[in-house]
Amino acid sequence: MTALLGAKSPLRRVAIFGGTHGNELSGVLLVKHWEEDGAEVQRTGLQVKPFIANPRAVQKGSRYIDCDLNRVFDPAHLGEEMPENSPYEVVRAQEIHRLFGPKGGKDAYDVILDLHNTTANMGCTLILETSKNDLLIQMFHYIKSCLAPRPCFVYLIDRPSLKYATTRSVAKHPVGVEVGPQPQGVLRADILDQMRRIVGHALDFIQYFNEGREFPACSLEVYRVMEKVDYPRKENGEIAAVIHPSLQDQDWKPLNPGDPVFLTLDGKTIPFDGDSTVYPVFVNEAAYYEKGEAFATTLKVTLTARSLNSSSP
Amino acid sequence: MSSTPSRGHQLDRVAVTGGTHGNELSGVYLVKHWLQNPSELQRGTFAATPFLANPKATKRCIRYLSQDLNRSFTRTFLTSKETQDGPYEVRQAQEINQLFGPKGSADAFDFIFDLHNTVSNMVACLILDSEENVFTMHMCHYIQKHTQGPCPIYLYGLPGQENYSLQSVAKNGLGLELGPQPHGVLRADVLSHMRALVACGLDFIDLFNQGTSFPAFDIVAYKIIEPMDFPQSPSGELLGFVHPQLQDKDFFPLKPGDPIFQLFSGEEIFYEGDATIYPAFINEAAYYEKGVAFYKMKKCTFSIPPLEAPEASAP
């Protein structure tokens, strides 16, 4: 699954996943709407399948039933024998793997757009899992230029120790779409509109690529994950401080050593103890309290992609 | 409960409850902090008791386990005998009624502050059942004058409807509803705002206890009319969402003809009422399941009579 695969042959099968997390409603409602009326997501020469990834969690209105679906697409879980009381999401992952994979195989779907929301003030965010996929770098570059002047950030999660086995990773070209801030269980018109636009631009890109449009070599500014920073915690595991008001809502803005990051209920400020300026993301994401992540730090990196020319079918 | 501690007694039993909904985190963390260090809740004439109202839901960071605790304080639930295998929140409501009630009796606590968050843009909302609750209306007036920012008063009681809320266990009560804050998130700004409002409410009680009388005044408050549901298909699926022009406009006037919803198809739905209303709890996550996209409120002005200082207590 390398850049060459995408750069040479047309992309024919695209899936749009909503409800990988059942309480992130923009994707859930968009996919449900497109299942009823898919006109908006049809493109010439392309098969587009809207799909609810975690229907039981969607029904319940929760992130997951037993475990996070977006963390169980690793070989161990995908290959596991399924005893009676397996976690729902592991069973579901295997089903998704059958339908849209196999991961790494030539029959896998070409692209999965996986739609998410965050409570963090991240705006429009695209998530990249590798720095070496020219097709996706070009796609993201295209989407960013369409959305401009509205900012669109690219989050690169290629660090092996921090990589997680995402639902979308069964496809050859996995695309994470993350729009916030939106509370869990809420559907905001403005956030829905932004997500809708991103999906539209992504599908347009795929169609143009397939039609042979040339995309000249480009560069893309991305934010590469460095580390996850947890809340200060008490001995019993409870959080002992809140994200500092100076950091709250400041996703993608520079955080310098010594800047305030946490505030205790006794009024004590805890400063950032890093060595250099970083760019925080997922600041105060509700779902990450249990994962021990108050925010993640990133560094700005520039990726480049070769020009793209698709051979006509 | 529309009692005034008429020519009243000092208030000496006051509780502050958080985590009535386990994922509304400002109250959860304030109460946990005060359970370790209650000094902030102490005043010259009394000390307030902090209490985590729904510990199991709080542990799981969910609104409730079986049913909404803040709807469980009706006579039916409080006197129900089938509690062993019944809903957790019914047992919990009965326990709270034992600790801070019994509701409606002379032994009930004098006052409960019940701390909540909403995802809606309600800033800092003071919630009580009725303008007839003179003592609490005076407290609201005091809080409005002594804290920063908008602080609308929300009256939730409906004629003939039994008061179902936790705060109704005590002789008087006030809900503090702060937002916007996503459920399961703790924001520093919202936390400190809630803390200031609680402090102000306790200051008011202390002043009253010390023998202060408060003169009459006129005050604006928003009285509940009815809920407005989302546009839905016959099978209950959402067909649309709160219109971008209505989103975040809690307590702004909504006139007939103003847009309220947008469907996925792009079609707009307009408000068809006869008169201007004031929407509240616009797009509150927890209310989707209750069939409420927002509550229609009527803006009223009430004349509140003076509150006389209490009788001096026996030493």
Side-chain angles (χ1 to χ4, degrees):
Chain A
M1 189 168 41
T2 66
L4 278 177
L5 207 69
K8 289 272 186 326
S9 42
L11 309 168
R12 294 293 176 210
R13 294 194 304 160
V14 175
I16 307 175
F17 283 8
T20 295
H21 297 133
N23 55 8
E24 295 176 13
L25 294 195
S26 307
V28 170
L29 274 309
L30 280 173
V31 162
K32 284 188 175 187
H33 172 63
W34 291 329
E35 281 178 331
E36 289 291 307
D37 178 359
E40 193 182 329
V41 293
Q42 292 316 307
R43 296 292 185 279
T44 320
L46 200 57
Q47 177 197 326
V48 179
K49 185 174 173 56
F51 182 79
I52 294 287
N54 194 337
R56 277 187 60 195
V58 167
Q59 166 88 342
K60 197 176 164 198
S62 61
R63 182 177 175 86
Y64 55 78
I65 302 297
D66 297 319
C67 62
D68 193 331
L69 180 64
N70 213 28
R71 301 288 186 278
V72 294
F73 281 79
D74 53 283
H77 283 112
L78 291 178
E80 214 172 277
E81 290 283 311
M82 286 287 99
E84 287 263 321
N85 53 356
S86 292
Y88 166 72
E89 278 81 11
V90 175
V91 177
R92 183 64 177 163
Q94 293 195 356
E95 199 176 326
I96 289 172
H97 190 229
R98 272 194 297 276
L99 287 169
F100 298 99
K103 190 163 161 169
K106 64 175 178 56
D107 292 333
Y109 261 60
D110 294 302
V111 181
I112 292 176
L113 306 174
D114 188 22
L115 308 184
H116 288 266
N117 294 115
T118 174
T119 59
N121 189 27
M122 286 168 70
C124 295
T125 301
L126 300 169
I127 307 184
L128 200 51
E129 297 188 10
T130 165
S131 59
K132 300 187 181 6
N133 188 324
D134 281 2
L135 181 91
L136 287 185
I137 292 169
Q138 288 277 8
M139 179 195 287
F140 287 18
H141 180 261
Y142 175 79
I143 294 172
K144 279 186 70 157
S145 63
C146 290
L147 290 176
R150 174 181 289 284
C152 178
F153 303 95
V154 179
Y155 182 42
L156 174 63
I157 48 167
D158 67 339
R159 200 171 279 283
S161 58
L162 296 177
K163 238 173 132 62
Y164 49 90
T166 59
T167 315
R168 56 190 177 263
S169 67
V170 302
K172 293 171 188 161
H173 305 286
V175 174
V177 178
E178 187 89 52
V179 187
Q182 179 169 271
Q184 294 166 347
V186 168
L187 191 64
R188 283 185 65 105
D190 49 2
I191 300 291
L192 188 89
D193 185 64
Q194 290 167 38
M195 187 176 276
R196 211 166 185 166
R197 285 174 197 279
I198 291 173
V199 171
H201 295 318
L203 294 174
D204 290 344
F205 172 85
I206 295 168
Q207 180 181 338
Y208 298 149
F209 169 74
N210 286 350
E211 287 170 350
R213 182 189 289 198
E214 187 169 336
F215 292 89
C218 71
S219 61
L220 184 73
E221 182 182 80
V222 309
Y223 293 78
R224 184 175 189 232
V225 70
M226 299 306 293
E227 65 171 0
K228 310 281 171 85
V229 178
D230 195 5
Y231 291 93
R233 292 192 184 255
K234 301 181 189 173
E235 272 175 27
N236 66 1
E238 282 179 8
I239 64 171
V242 191
I243 294 280
H244 195 279
S246 308
L247 177 57
Q248 180 66 53
D249 302 333
Q250 302 305 307
D251 303 70
W252 312 111
K253 307 256 173 62
L255 177 70
N256 305 305
D259 283 352
V261 286
F262 296 113
L263 184 65
T264 71
L265 266 78
D266 295 316
K268 179 170 158 232
T269 293
I270 297 171
F272 178 53
D273 65 357
D275 299 321
S276 55
T277 297
V278 294
Y279 297 83
V281 299
F282 282 112
V283 177
N284 212 350
E285 160 55 52
Y288 290 177
Y289 281 54
E290 69 175 22
K291 296 193 199 299
E293 182 180 335
F295 60 96
T297 58
T298 70
L299 290 180
K300 279 201 234 190
V301 168
T302 302
L303 302 183
T304 55
R306 288 165 293 181
S307 68
L308 287 185
N309 269 310
S310 168
S311 54
S312 305
Chain B
M1 170 77 66
S2 46
S3 68
T4 302
S6 45
R7 233 315 21 203
H9 301 282
Q10 297 182 17
L11 280 65
D12 68 321
R13 292 190 311 149
V14 176
V16 183
T17 55
T20 298
H21 298 131
N23 55 6
E24 294 176 15
L25 295 192
S26 307
V28 168
Y29 280 90
L30 282 172
V31 164
K32 285 186 180 192
H33 177 70
W34 290 327
L35 285 168
Q36 296 299 311
N37 183 355
S39 56
E40 213 172 305
L41 300 182
Q42 286 160 3
R43 294 294 183 277
T45 60
F46 73 101
T49 305
F51 183 77
L52 264 182
N54 194 336
K56 283 195 178 177
T58 296
K59 195 171 161 80
R60 290 175 55 183
C61 198
I62 54 177
R63 184 176 176 85
Y64 57 78
L65 266 61
S66 305
Q67 69 183 55
D68 192 330
L69 179 61
N70 211 26
R71 303 289 184 279
S72 302
F73 290 86
T74 59
R75 166 168 289 279
T76 307
F77 288 128
L78 291 179
T79 57
S80 157
K81 300 275 186 287
E82 313 290 317
T83 51
Q84 246 336 86
D85 302 312
Y88 165 73
E89 277 82 13
V90 173
R91 292 201 298 286
Q92 193 59 14
Q94 293 187 356
E95 185 167 329
I96 289 168
N97 194 40
Q98 289 219 318
L99 288 168
F100 301 109
K103 178 169 165 171
S105 77
D107 290 332
F109 259 53
D110 297 305
F111 205 92
I112 287 178
F113 293 91
D114 190 26
L115 309 184
H116 288 267
N117 293 115
T118 174
V119 314
S120 306
N121 191 25
M122 286 167 65
V123 190
C125 197
L126 306 176
I127 302 195
L128 63 155
D129 64 329
S130 161
E131 73 280 4
E132 292 175 12
N133 192 323
V134 172
F135 181 82
T136 311
M137 290 299 284
H138 272 269
M139 179 188 283
C140 291
H141 188 227
Y142 181 85
I143 291 173
Q144 285 182 346
K145 285 194 304 180
H146 291 89
T147 59
Q148 307 273 19
C151 211
I153 295 171
Y154 178 109
L155 303 172
Y156 67 88
L158 282 169
Q161 181 190 66
E162 193 184 352
N163 196 336
Y164 47 71
S165 68
L166 187 153
Q167 66 197 67
S168 70
V169 169
K171 293 181 182 128
N172 279 300
L174 184 65
L176 299 183
E177 186 84 51
L178 271 83
Q181 178 172 272
H183 299 313
V185 165
L186 190 59
R187 285 184 66 104
D189 50 1
V190 175
L191 186 85
S192 71
H193 197 171
M194 185 179 273
R195 207 170 184 166
L197 292 177
V198 173
C200 199
L202 297 177
D203 289 346
F204 174 80
I205 295 174
D206 198 39
L207 271 177
F208 174 78
N209 283 350
Q210 286 171 33
T212 314
S213 294
F214 296 88
F217 58 92
D218 284 350
I219 194 165
V220 166
Y222 297 85
K223 211 163 165 63
I224 200 169
I225 304 173
E226 62 182 2
M228 171 77 91
D229 200 354
F230 288 97
Q232 283 174 33
S233 72
S235 58
E237 296 282 329
L238 272 185
L239 291 177
F241 40 87
V242 169
H243 197 279
Q245 285 178 37
L246 176 61
Q247 180 68 52
D248 301 334
K249 298 294 201 299
D250 303 72
F251 300 111
F252 281 71
L254 181 70
K255 302 184 297 301
D258 285 347
I260 49 174
F261 297 115
Q262 193 162 56
L263 304 187
F264 293 106
S265 59
E267 190 191 326
E268 292 175 302
I269 310 262
F270 302 94
Y271 177 54
E272 286 178 356
D274 299 323
T276 296
I277 55 104
Y278 293 78
F281 283 115
I282 298 173
N283 216 357
E284 162 54 55
Y287 288 175
Y288 279 50
E289 70 174 18
K290 296 191 201 292
V292 178
F294 59 92
Y295 275 104
K296 296 191 262 182
M297 313 293 288
K298 186 169 163 217
K299 187 174 181 179
C300 308
T301 302
F302 297 109
S303 295
I304 307 297
L307 180 68
E308 287 189 55
E311 290 171 353
S313 296

